[in-house]
Amino acid sequence: LISRFMKTPESGLSLISEVLATAGLFWRESERLFRPLGLTAAQYNVLATLAASSEALNQRTLADVLVVDRSAITGLLDRLERTGWVRREADPADRRAYRVVLTAAGRRKWDEARPVYHAAVRGALEEVTERRVQEATATLRRVQAGVAAWTEGQRNRGNAKAIEPKSKEP
Amino acid sequence: LISRFMKTPESGLSLISEVLATAGLFWRESERLFRPLGLTAAQYNVLATLAASSEALNQRTLADVLVVDRSAITGLLDRLERTGWVRREADPADRRAYRVVLTAAGRRKWDEARPVYHAAVRGALEEVTERRVQEATATLRRVQAGVAAWTEGQRNRGNAKAIEPKSKEP
DNA sequence: AAAGATTGATCATTCAATCTTT
DNA sequence: AAAGATTGAATGATCAATCTTT
């Protein structure tokens, strides 16, 4: 996926390669940045998601927003509950589910971490023009749609005979 | 880092968010794609790197190319050796180091996996113009340079008093 | 049956500490 | 001392299987 020795780089391969390399680099540096605060990057993501959401979220929704398997959320919340930054509350409307909420300490931790993170992002993008940022953002959204469409196509080809197109917000 | 609920998204935050989301989505789908072949995405990366390199690589170099810690390479190669796709050879010039080489079976596996991977990339980028691909690739390279420059700046600020600029390939 | 959550196995990754060789 | 590699502890991710509730 990351092929720096590639001889005849199809442009698409190069783009994906750079996406993965950029994400890896940034994620790794984020871990180092958050470490003195006692946070991991994944945990910051949870705090940020909860802080930005108006309603309480259940674990399924959290998993969808963070684009990880639901089972990954269990351990993540276990550790965040252990440090007291997050709490699982019983959902009165559905006894299978939890409502995950930020504690006061969790919000303070997020208030502390957020400016650190934002400073890093600004630092990293200092030399990149606003036009380029906008353009790349739009392109990456298209790539994500492309990945989703392609995998969906594969799934249909693999399974039965493509029941229905089922177009949503085209 | 991935903040889909963001209210006033600075454009830089959005870009980083999309980079991480795109990489996560693509990595995840790659895992599913490679699974029937008995490969993980990280393992495909190793095979691809070895296949594309003219000389044998030591583990340190491999770690640098793949942008992971050296210690992650140990387990990765253990598993790849177990399946017989890679071999550690003693380096006659330096008895601390290994020369990591692809076995014949490893090359066959790579020959099998490569077209699968390339098809996925083409599928994902089908609807993205070549111009956009080129532009985004260039932007991401600048972002990586920006991350490196910023973390370097932080390191110097944190340590002593920035011994020397030490500019390389400006 | 389907959906929310958890568990156990496997893989990958980081960091700090250690061993061997240079 | 510095560099290549490994180990052990911790975190995080996936998948398959399971439990409880809807």
Side-chain angles (χ1 to χ4, degrees), chain A residues 61-107:
Chain A
T61 308
L62 211 42
D64 289 343
V65 172
L66 300 178
V67 202
V68 298
D69 194 82
R70 320 139 190 91
S71 62
I73 300 293
T74 299
L76 207 41
L77 291 184
D78 286 347
R79 289 179 287 271
L80 282 169
E81 261 191 327
R82 212 175 58 207
T83 53
W85 294 330
V86 146
R87 205 171 39 236
R88 286 171 166 105
E89 292 180 349
D91 184 342
D94 186 344
R95 280 189 305 173
R96 290 172 303 179
Y98 290 115
R99 297 168 64 253
V100 182
V101 297
L102 214 52
T103 63
R107 185 164 293 274

Side-chain angles (χ1 to χ4, degrees), chain A residues 99-169:
Chain A
R99 297 168 64 253
V100 182
V101 297
L102 214 52
T103 63
R107 185 164 293 274
R108 280 197 302 275
K109 181 50 70 173
W110 182 63
D111 284 337
E112 184 188 356
R114 184 180 34 167
V116 172
Y117 179 66
H118 288 199
V121 171
R122 275 197 305 276
L125 297 182
E126 219 162 41
E127 304 290 334
V128 186
T129 65
E130 176 67 18
R131 205 207 99 253
R132 274 192 170 280
V133 169
Q134 297 284 353
E135 180 100 359
T137 302
T139 299
L140 290 178
R141 291 201 174 113
R142 294 182 192 208
V143 173
Q144 288 174 65
V147 172
W150 187 81
T151 56
E152 182 61 28
Q154 290 298 103
R155 193 167 8 256
N156 286 345
R157 203 165 350 279
N159 286 358
K161 46 198 69 170
I163 315 296
E164 216 180 325
K166 201 185 184 178
S167 67
K168 39 182 176 183
E169 64 251 24

Side-chain angles (χ1 to χ4, degrees), chain A residues 19-39:
Chain A
V19 169
L20 293 169
T22 308
L25 181 62
F26 197 86
W27 186 266
R28 196 175 164 156
E29 291 305 329
S30 299
E31 297 276 16
R32 288 181 187 152
L33 202 61
F34 289 136
R35 173 166 279 260
L37 306 179
L39 268 177

